[in-house]
Amino acid sequence: MKKFEGLNIQVEDCNTIKIHDDCSFLDSKITVKGQGNVIEISKALVYRSLIMNLQGNNKHITIQESSKNINHLKIVSIRGNNQTIFIGKNLSCGGLEIQMNDGDENLAIGDDCLFSWGIKMRTSDGHSVIDLSTGKAINLPKDINVGSHVWIGEDVKLLKGVKIPNNSVVGSYSVITKPFKEENTVIAGHPGKVVKYNVDWNREMPFRYNN
């Protein structure tokens, strides 16, 4: 495996890591324990403080190419098996933490997404809430799906079962707890709800965009 400056890799045998030759890293680390795990990392402008900590089996992480910086992306999956994370093209990221610590969970992020900093996504609660009449856990893990061309503001939390449609905006400090269906909306609040319809967004600053 090619060595990359700025990237420390610690991986057990029976796992696969594929990294584009032109990738650039700063202060990054990948740790993989278990077997049958696959990590595929395409080129970005720079990966700054990329952290991956995987333990278990048959986990698949894909990051497609981006012409933007991907900063402070942290993926932690130290429990469970059979988990998938897919990140589409041209992600711009200030800070995102993904936690998948149960089993058979999927998380997908579409193309051309703009993420601020302090964002967290969790596909499970980590501990069980028990229905005393059945003796069964009632808070099972659920997938998270973020569409394409989605802008997520700072310090947003996306919990299990969340779906964010294409061309949406998620307001800063929101806590999103359920799936949404309608595209071109602003979602905000605690818990999140649609607060504006019939909108889109652009990376240009508002004053410049109008002029």
Side-chain angles (χ1 to χ4, degrees):
M1 181 187 302
K2 176 181 175 180
K3 292 185 178 180
F4 293 85
E5 185 177 354
L7 174 63
N8 180 10
I9 298 177
Q10 299 178 7
V11 56
E12 293 182 346
D13 293 338
C14 301
N15 298 288
T16 302
I17 299 180
K18 301 177 182 178
I19 301 176
H20 192 281
D21 286 344
D22 294 331
C23 280
S24 177
F25 296 92
L26 293 171
D27 300 321
S28 297
K29 183 176 182 179
I30 297 174
T31 304
V32 183
K33 298 179 180 180
Q35 60 184 1
N37 300 295
V38 178
I39 296 175
E40 299 178 276
I41 301 176
S42 298
K43 181 182 177 182
L45 190 60
V46 64
Y47 289 95
R48 182 177 287 104
S49 298
L50 172 68
I51 302 296
M52 293 187 186
N53 185 2
L54 305 186
Q55 299 179 32
N57 306 317
N58 304 318
K59 302 182 180 188
H60 196 157
I61 298 176
T62 301
I63 304 176
Q64 293 198 315
E65 65 270 18
S66 177
S67 60
K68 316 295 183 182
N69 291 324
I70 297 180
N71 300 315
H72 302 284
L73 172 59
K74 183 178 182 180
I75 297 174
V76 178
S77 178
I78 58 175
R79 294 184 291 177
N81 302 301
N82 308 313
Q83 297 161 344
T84 299
I85 296 174
F86 180 87
I87 297 176
K89 297 178 181 178
N90 286 321
L91 171 68
S92 177
C93 179
L96 167 63
E97 180 176 343
I98 296 172
Q99 293 192 12
M100 302 181 76
N101 289 312
D102 208 317
D104 299 313
E105 301 140 280
N106 298 299
L107 185 146
I109 297 170
D111 297 338
D112 188 35
C113 287
L114 173 61
F115 286 5
S116 185
W117 51 85
I119 299 166
K120 291 187 178 181
M121 299 183 183
R122 295 177 58 101
T123 53
S124 71
D125 297 330
H127 306 285
S128 297
V129 177
I130 309 301
D131 182 340
L132 293 179
S133 63
T134 64
K136 300 288 186 179
I138 57 175
N139 60 330
L140 296 176
K142 296 179 182 179
D143 299 344
I144 291 176
N145 191 305
V146 177
S148 293
H149 193 62
V150 171
W151 173 17
I152 298 183
E154 63 184 291
D155 291 320
V156 168
K157 308 297 185 291
L158 275 67
L159 305 185
K160 64 182 192 295
V162 162
K163 180 178 180 181
I164 305 296
N166 299 334
N167 309 315
S168 297
V169 177
V170 181
S172 296
Y173 306 103
S174 297
V175 178
I176 312 302
T177 61
K178 66 179 183 180
F180 292 85
K181 296 181 179 179
E182 188 168 352
E183 298 183 3
N184 298 100
T185 62
V186 176
I187 302 166
H190 187 342
K193 62 182 179 180
V194 176
V195 297
K196 195 170 185 62
Y197 295 88
N198 194 35
V199 298
D200 202 350
W201 65 272
N202 187 278
R203 293 175 183 266
E204 184 61 88
M205 293 182 291
F207 181 82
R208 289 185 179 178
Y209 186 84
N210 284 345
N211 288 275

Coordinates of all heavy atoms in Angstrom, one line a residue, residues 114-167:
L114 N -22.9 20.9 1.0 CA -22.1 21.9 1.7 C -22.4 21.7 3.2 O -23.5 22.0 3.6 CB -22.4 23.3 1.2 CG -21.8 24.4 2.0 CD1 -20.3 24.4 1.9 CD2 -22.4 25.8 1.5
F115 N -21.4 21.2 3.9 CA -21.6 21.0 5.4 C -20.7 22.0 6.1 O -19.5 22.1 5.9 CB -21.2 19.6 5.8 CG -22.1 18.5 5.4 CD1 -23.2 18.8 4.6 CD2 -21.9 17.2 5.7 CE1 -24.1 17.8 4.2 CE2 -22.8 16.2 5.4 CZ -23.9 16.5 4.6
S116 N -21.3 22.7 7.1 CA -20.6 23.6 8.0 C -19.8 22.7 9.0 O -19.3 21.6 8.7 CB -21.6 24.5 8.7 OG -20.9 25.5 9.4
W117 N -19.6 23.2 10.2 CA -18.9 22.5 11.2 C -19.7 22.1 12.4 O -20.9 22.6 12.6 CB -17.7 23.3 11.7 CG -18.1 24.7 12.1 CD1 -18.6 25.1 13.4 CD2 -18.1 25.9 11.3 NE1 -18.9 26.5 13.4 CE2 -18.6 27.0 12.1 CE3 -17.8 26.2 10.0 CZ2 -18.7 28.3 11.6 CZ3 -17.9 27.5 9.5 CH2 -18.4 28.5 10.3
G118 N -19.2 21.2 13.2 CA -20.0 20.7 14.4 C -21.2 19.9 14.1 O -22.1 19.7 14.9
I119 N -21.2 19.2 12.9 CA -22.4 18.4 12.5 C -22.1 17.0 13.0 O -21.0 16.4 12.9 CB -22.5 18.4 11.0 CG1 -22.8 19.9 10.5 CG2 -23.6 17.5 10.5 CD1 -22.7 20.1 9.0
K120 N -23.2 16.4 13.5 CA -23.1 15.0 14.0 C -24.3 14.2 13.4 O -25.4 14.6 13.3 CB -23.1 14.9 15.5 CG -21.9 15.4 16.2 CD -21.9 15.2 17.7 CE -20.6 15.7 18.3 NZ -20.6 15.4 19.8
M121 N -24.0 12.9 13.0 CA -25.0 12.0 12.5 C -24.8 10.7 13.2 O -23.7 10.1 13.3 CB -24.8 11.7 11.0 CG -24.9 13.0 10.1 SD -24.8 12.5 8.3 CE -24.9 14.2 7.6
R122 N -26.0 10.2 13.7 CA -26.0 8.9 14.5 C -27.1 8.0 14.0 O -28.3 8.5 14.0 CB -26.2 9.2 16.0 CG -25.1 10.0 16.7 CD -25.5 10.2 18.1 NE -25.7 9.0 18.8 CZ -24.8 8.4 19.6 NH1 -23.6 9.0 19.8 NH2 -25.1 7.3 20.3
T123 N -26.8 6.8 13.6 CA -27.8 5.9 13.1 C -28.4 5.0 14.2 O -29.3 4.3 13.9 CB -27.2 5.0 12.0 OG1 -26.0 4.4 12.5 CG2 -26.8 5.8 10.7
S124 N -27.9 5.2 15.4 CA -28.4 4.4 16.5 C -28.3 5.2 17.8 O -27.5 6.1 17.8 CB -27.7 3.0 16.6 OG -26.4 3.2 17.1
D125 N -29.0 4.8 18.8 CA -28.9 5.4 20.1 C -27.7 4.9 20.9 O -27.3 5.5 21.9 CB -30.2 5.2 20.9 CG -31.4 5.9 20.2 OD1 -31.2 6.9 19.5 OD2 -32.5 5.4 20.3
G126 N -27.2 3.7 20.6 CA -26.1 3.2 21.3 C -26.4 2.3 22.5 O -25.7 1.4 22.8
H127 N -27.6 2.5 23.1 CA -28.0 1.7 24.2 C -29.5 1.5 24.0 O -30.2 2.2 23.2 CB -27.8 2.4 25.5 CG -26.3 2.8 25.7 ND1 -25.3 1.9 26.0 CD2 -25.7 4.0 25.6 CE1 -24.2 2.5 26.1 NE2 -24.4 3.8 25.9
S128 N -30.0 0.5 24.7 CA -31.4 0.0 24.4 C -32.4 0.6 25.3 O -32.2 0.8 26.5 CB -31.5 -1.5 24.6 OG -30.7 -2.2 23.7
V129 N -33.6 1.0 24.8 CA -34.8 1.3 25.5 C -35.7 0.1 25.4 O -36.1 -0.3 24.3 CB -35.5 2.6 24.9 CG1 -36.8 2.8 25.7 CG2 -34.5 3.8 25.0
I130 N -36.1 -0.5 26.5 CA -36.8 -1.7 26.6 C -38.3 -1.6 26.8 O -38.7 -0.8 27.7 CB -36.3 -2.6 27.7 CG1 -34.7 -2.7 27.6 CG2 -36.9 -4.0 27.6 CD1 -34.2 -3.3 26.3
D131 N -39.1 -2.2 26.0 CA -40.6 -2.3 26.3 C -40.8 -3.4 27.3 O -40.5 -4.6 27.0 CB -41.3 -2.7 25.0 CG -42.8 -2.7 25.1 OD1 -43.3 -2.9 26.3 OD2 -43.5 -2.6 24.1
L132 N -41.2 -3.1 28.5 CA -41.4 -4.0 29.6 C -42.4 -5.1 29.3 O -42.3 -6.2 29.8 CB -41.7 -3.3 30.9 CG -40.6 -2.4 31.4 CD1 -41.0 -1.7 32.7 CD2 -39.3 -3.2 31.6
S133 N -43.4 -4.8 28.4 CA -44.4 -5.8 28.1 C -43.9 -6.9 27.2 O -44.4 -8.1 27.2 CB -45.6 -5.2 27.5 OG -45.3 -4.6 26.3
T134 N -42.9 -6.6 26.4 CA -42.4 -7.6 25.5 C -40.9 -8.0 25.8 O -40.5 -9.1 25.3 CB -42.4 -7.1 24.0 OG1 -41.5 -5.9 23.9 CG2 -43.8 -6.6 23.6
G135 N -40.2 -7.2 26.5 CA -38.8 -7.5 26.8 C -37.9 -7.2 25.7 O -36.8 -7.6 25.6
K136 N -38.4 -6.5 24.6 CA -37.7 -6.2 23.4 C -37.2 -4.7 23.4 O -37.9 -3.8 23.9 CB -38.5 -6.5 22.2 CG -39.0 -7.9 22.1 CD -37.8 -8.8 21.7 CE -38.3 -10.2 21.4 NZ -37.2 -11.2 21.1
A137 N -36.1 -4.5 22.8 CA -35.6 -3.1 22.5 C -36.5 -2.5 21.5 O -36.9 -3.1 20.5 CB -34.2 -3.1 22.1
I138 N -36.9 -1.2 21.7 CA -37.8 -0.5 20.8 C -37.2 0.6 20.0 O -37.8 1.2 19.2 CB -39.1 0.0 21.5 CG1 -38.6 1.0 22.7 CG2 -39.9 -1.1 22.1 CD1 -39.8 1.6 23.4
N139 N -35.9 0.8 20.3 CA -35.2 1.9 19.6 C -34.1 1.3 18.7 O -32.9 1.7 18.8 CB -34.6 2.9 20.6 CG -33.6 2.2 21.5 OD1 -33.7 1.0 21.9 ND2 -32.6 3.0 22.0
L140 N -34.5 0.5 17.7 CA -33.6 -0.2 16.8 C -32.9 0.9 15.9 O -33.5 2.0 15.6 CB -34.3 -1.2 16.0 CG -34.8 -2.4 16.8 CD1 -35.6 -3.3 15.8 CD2 -33.7 -3.2 17.5
P141 N -31.7 0.6 15.4 CA -31.1 1.5 14.5 C -31.8 1.7 13.2 O -32.6 0.9 12.7 CB -29.7 0.9 14.2 CG -29.9 -0.6 14.4 CD -30.9 -0.6 15.5
K142 N -31.7 2.9 12.6 CA -32.3 3.2 11.3 C -31.3 4.0 10.4 O -30.4 4.7 10.9 CB -33.6 4.1 11.5 CG -34.7 3.4 12.3 CD -35.9 4.3 12.4 CE -37.0 3.6 13.2 NZ -38.2 4.5 13.4
D143 N -31.5 3.9 9.1 CA -30.6 4.5 8.2 C -30.8 6.0 8.2 O -31.8 6.5 8.6 CB -30.8 4.0 6.7 CG -30.6 2.5 6.6 OD1 -30.0 1.9 7.5 OD2 -31.1 1.9 5.6
I144 N -29.7 6.7 7.7 CA -29.8 8.2 7.5 C -29.5 8.4 6.0 O -28.6 7.8 5.4 CB -28.8 8.9 8.3 CG1 -29.2 8.9 9.8 CG2 -28.6 10.4 7.9 CD1 -28.2 9.5 10.7
N145 N -30.3 9.2 5.4 CA -30.1 9.5 3.9 C -30.2 11.0 3.7 O -31.2 11.7 4.0 CB -31.2 8.8 3.1 CG -30.9 8.9 1.6 OD1 -30.7 9.9 1.1 ND2 -30.8 7.7 1.0
V146 N -29.1 11.6 3.2 CA -29.0 13.0 2.9 C -28.9 13.1 1.4 O -28.1 12.5 0.8 CB -27.8 13.7 3.5 CG1 -27.7 15.2 3.1 CG2 -27.9 13.6 5.1
G147 N -29.8 13.9 0.7 CA -29.9 14.0 -0.7 C -28.7 14.8 -1.3 O -27.8 15.2 -0.6
S148 N -28.9 15.1 -2.6 CA -27.9 15.9 -3.3 C -28.2 17.4 -3.2 O -29.3 17.8 -3.0 CB -27.8 15.5 -4.8 OG -27.3 14.2 -4.9
H149 N -27.1 18.2 -3.2 CA -27.2 19.7 -3.1 C -28.0 20.1 -1.9 O -29.0 20.7 -1.9 CB -27.9 20.2 -4.4 CG -27.8 21.7 -4.5 ND1 -26.7 22.4 -4.7 CD2 -28.8 22.7 -4.5 CE1 -26.9 23.7 -4.7 NE2 -28.2 23.9 -4.6
V150 N -27.4 19.6 -0.7 CA -28.0 19.9 0.6 C -27.0 20.7 1.4 O -25.8 20.4 1.4 CB -28.3 18.6 1.4 CG1 -28.7 19.0 2.8 CG2 -29.5 17.9 0.7
W151 N -27.4 21.8 1.9 CA -26.6 22.7 2.8 C -27.0 22.5 4.2 O -28.2 22.8 4.6 CB -26.7 24.1 2.3 CG -26.1 25.2 3.2 CD1 -25.1 25.0 4.1 CD2 -26.3 26.6 3.2 NE1 -24.7 26.2 4.7 CE2 -25.4 27.2 4.1 CE3 -27.2 27.4 2.4 CZ2 -25.5 28.5 4.4 CZ3 -27.2 28.8 2.7 CH2 -26.3 29.3 3.7
I152 N -26.0 22.1 5.1 CA -26.3 21.9 6.5 C -25.5 22.9 7.3 O -24.3 22.9 7.2 CB -26.0 20.4 6.9 CG1 -26.9 19.5 6.1 CG2 -26.2 20.3 8.4 CD1 -26.7 18.0 6.5
G153 N -26.2 23.7 8.1 CA -25.5 24.7 8.9 C -24.8 24.1 10.1 O -24.8 22.9 10.4
E154 N -24.2 25.0 10.9 CA -23.3 24.5 12.0 C -24.1 23.9 13.1 O -25.2 24.2 13.4 CB -22.5 25.7 12.5 CG -23.3 26.8 13.1 CD -22.4 28.0 13.5 OE1 -21.7 27.9 14.5 OE2 -22.6 29.1 12.9
D155 N -23.4 23.0 13.8 CA -23.9 22.3 15.0 C -25.3 21.7 14.8 O -26.1 21.7 15.7 CB -23.9 23.3 16.2 CG -22.5 23.7 16.6 OD1 -21.7 22.9 16.7 OD2 -22.3 24.9 16.9
V156 N -25.5 21.1 13.7 CA -26.7 20.3 13.4 C -26.6 18.9 13.8 O -25.5 18.3 13.6 CB -27.1 20.4 12.0 CG1 -28.2 19.5 11.6 CG2 -27.5 21.9 11.6
K157 N -27.6 18.3 14.4 CA -27.6 16.9 14.8 C -28.7 16.1 13.9 O -29.8 16.6 13.8 CB -28.0 16.7 16.2 CG -27.1 17.5 17.2 CD -25.7 17.1 17.2 CE -24.8 17.8 18.2 NZ -24.7 19.3 18.0
L158 N -28.3 15.1 13.2 CA -29.2 14.2 12.5 C -29.2 12.9 13.1 O -28.2 12.2 13.2 CB -28.7 14.1 11.0 CG -29.1 15.2 10.0 CD1 -28.4 16.5 10.4 CD2 -28.8 14.8 8.6
L159 N -30.4 12.5 13.6 CA -30.5 11.2 14.3 C -31.1 10.1 13.4 O -31.4 10.3 12.3 CB -31.4 11.4 15.5 CG -31.0 12.6 16.5 CD1 -31.9 12.6 17.7 CD2 -29.6 12.4 16.9
K160 N -31.1 8.9 14.0 CA -31.5 7.7 13.2 C -32.8 7.9 12.5 O -33.8 8.5 13.0 CB -31.6 6.5 14.1 CG -32.6 6.5 15.2 CD -32.6 5.3 16.0 CE -33.8 5.2 16.9 NZ -33.9 6.2 17.9
G161 N -32.9 7.4 11.2 CA -34.1 7.4 10.5 C -34.4 8.7 9.7 O -35.4 8.9 9.0
V162 N -33.4 9.7 9.8 CA -33.6 11.0 9.1 C -33.4 10.8 7.6 O -32.5 10.1 7.1 CB -32.6 12.0 9.7 CG1 -32.5 13.2 8.8 CG2 -33.1 12.4 11.1
K163 N -34.2 11.6 6.9 CA -34.0 11.7 5.4 C -34.1 13.2 5.1 O -35.1 13.9 5.5 CB -35.0 10.9 4.6 CG -34.9 11.1 3.1 CD -35.9 10.3 2.3 CE -35.7 10.5 0.8 NZ -36.6 9.7 0.0
I164 N -33.1 13.8 4.4 CA -33.1 15.2 4.0 C -33.2 15.1 2.5 O -32.3 14.6 1.8 CB -31.9 15.9 4.4 CG1 -31.7 15.8 6.0 CG2 -31.9 17.4 4.0 CD1 -32.8 16.4 6.8
P165 N -34.3 15.7 1.9 CA -34.4 15.7 0.4 C -33.4 16.5 -0.3 O -32.7 17.4 0.3 CB -35.9 16.2 0.2 CG -36.5 16.1 1.5 CD -35.4 16.3 2.5
N166 N -33.3 16.3 -1.6 CA -32.5 17.1 -2.5 C -32.8 18.6 -2.4 O -33.9 19.0 -2.1 CB -32.6 16.7 -4.0 CG -32.3 15.3 -4.2 OD1 -31.5 14.7 -3.5 ND2 -32.9 14.7 -5.3
N167 N -31.8 19.4 -2.6 CA -31.9 20.9 -2.7 C -32.5 21.5 -1.5 O -33.2 22.5 -1.5 CB -32.8 21.2 -3.9 CG -32.4 20.6 -5.2 OD1 -31.2 20.5 -5.5 ND2 -33.3 20.0 -5.9

